Amino acid sequence: GAGVSQSPRYKVAKRGQDVALRCDPISGHVSLFWYQQALGQGPEFLTYFQNEAQLDKSGLPSDRFFAERPEGSVSTLKIQRTQQEDSAVYLCASSLDSGVADTQYFGPGTRLTVL
Amino acid sequence: TQLLEQSPQFLSIQEGENLTVYCNSSSVFSSLQWYRQEPGEGPVLLVTVVTGGEVKKLKRLTFQFGDARKDSSLHITAAQPGDTGLYLCAGEKVRDNDMRFGAGTRLTVKP
């Protein structure tokens, strides 16, 4: 596909379960971003990769959140021991170059519901 | 407290009306972007402004970046039902490495 894809689109987890969310960026895009969007809010920055290097993870809310991009393309956001407050839409975006102000193309998001 | 405050939070108008939404901050931004997001989808970039005082037009949409690069506005002329959506502003702070979003303005245009 031509755009950013994310899977699964919807995920329901029981509190305490681990989840893994996948992002397939646009081919050739250097930068990849993860955001968390709570209901009725704007996206909140989580972490940023330039190729395989995680340059900024200041937005990850706790050490239960972990992201990787081992080969500089596909990225996985893992949440361990999920809690109800983790319920949100998780958005992934990619951009061609390394500048943050470069156009970011967003995927449709994964809606995570923790029961 | 959000870094970027957007107002109004909700706006419901009739087709054909004009409207302005605002994005304000006490911080200076090296660039500011406006996005539109529809339910079940990710935000889609509308415009990027980088110069204080800059005005950009995109058909019926006019975007303005404040002179001090702390605020921005989006004006829509003759709104149409297809303009319905969540409008988000996002800014890259000077010497920062990530982009911060406002909470958005949810616009509904009734036919």
Side-chain angles (χ1 to χ4, degrees), chain A residues 9 37 41-43 56 100-101 107, chain B residues 2 33 37 40 42 97-98 101-102:
Chain A
R9 289 295 312 275
Q37 186 172 23
Q41 297 296 315
D56 187 346
V100 174
Chain B
Q2 296 259 166
Q33 301 179 337
Q37 185 177 23
N97 198 35
D98 54 54
F101 281 82

Side-chain angles (χ1 to χ4, degrees), chain A residues 56-88:
Chain A
D56 187 346
K57 53 182 181 180
S58 62
L60 296 176
S62 78
D63 59 7
R64 296 186 296 104
F65 286 71
F66 172 75
E68 61 183 4
R69 194 186 185 198
E71 297 179 0
S73 56
V74 172
S75 178
T76 303
L77 176 66
K78 297 179 180 178
I79 309 173
Q80 297 177 322
R81 304 181 304 280
T82 53
Q83 300 178 5
Q84 285 187 321
E85 59 263 31
D86 299 335
S87 295

